[in-house]
Amino acid sequence: MAWLSLLLFLPWFVLLGALYCLFPRQPRDAARRAFDAIALLLAFVLSIAAMLWGHHIGVVQSDAGPIWRQVLAVLYAYGAFLAVLVGAILLRTTWLAQRATKAASKRAGGSS
C-alpha cells in the first residue's frame, strides 16, 4: 500500500522533472543532459526511499489512523523529491555560470 502515494504523485513528479529539464533553455549540451538525468534519477530514488520510510513510520505509530500511513509517505516522498531538485537547481546554476564565465574569458583572450 506504500506505493499508492508514489503512483498518485508520479504525474506531478514528471511535470516537475520536465520543467526542471526545460529551463533554462540554453546551454543544452551532453554534459547538461547527463547532469539533469542524474539529478532526476537521484530525486526519484530518494523519493522512493523517503516514501517507504514515511509509510513505515505511519505503521509503527499505533495511535495514528490508517490514512496517516499514506499521508506521511506522500509528504516524505514529495519533500525528498523537491529537496533534491532544489539542490540540483542551485548546483546547476552555479555550474552554468562558471562555464559561461570561462567561455567569455576564452573569447576575450582569444580576440586580443
Side-chain angles (χ1 to χ4, degrees):
M1 222 32 182
W3 294 93
L4 179 62
S5 59
L6 182 67
L7 181 66
L8 294 174
F9 261 71
L10 196 58
W12 182 240
F13 288 169
V14 169
L15 178 67
L16 288 176
L19 289 173
Y20 168 77
C21 286
L22 290 175
F23 296 103
R25 296 200 183 270
Q26 295 297 331
R28 193 165 291 150
D29 56 354
R32 158 114 186 258
R33 283 193 295 270
F35 180 86
D36 288 348
I38 290 168
L40 287 175
L41 182 64
L42 181 65
F44 188 65
V45 168
L46 288 181
S47 177
I48 290 173
M51 172 201 61
L52 293 173
W53 184 33
H55 188 268
H56 176 70
I57 289 173
V59 169
V60 172
Q61 290 185 341
S62 61
D63 58 339
I67 191 67
W68 284 106
R69 296 174 189 164
Q70 297 302 321
V71 171
L72 284 175
V74 166
L75 288 176
Y76 280 41
Y78 190 54
F81 192 84
L82 286 182
V84 172
L85 279 189
V86 166
I89 287 170
L90 295 174
L91 281 173
R92 184 177 70 182
T93 303
T94 306
W95 176 54
L96 291 177
Q98 287 175 352
R99 285 181 56 190
T101 304
K102 285 181 185 177
S105 67
K106 263 189 184 177
R107 281 192 301 254
S111 64
S112 19

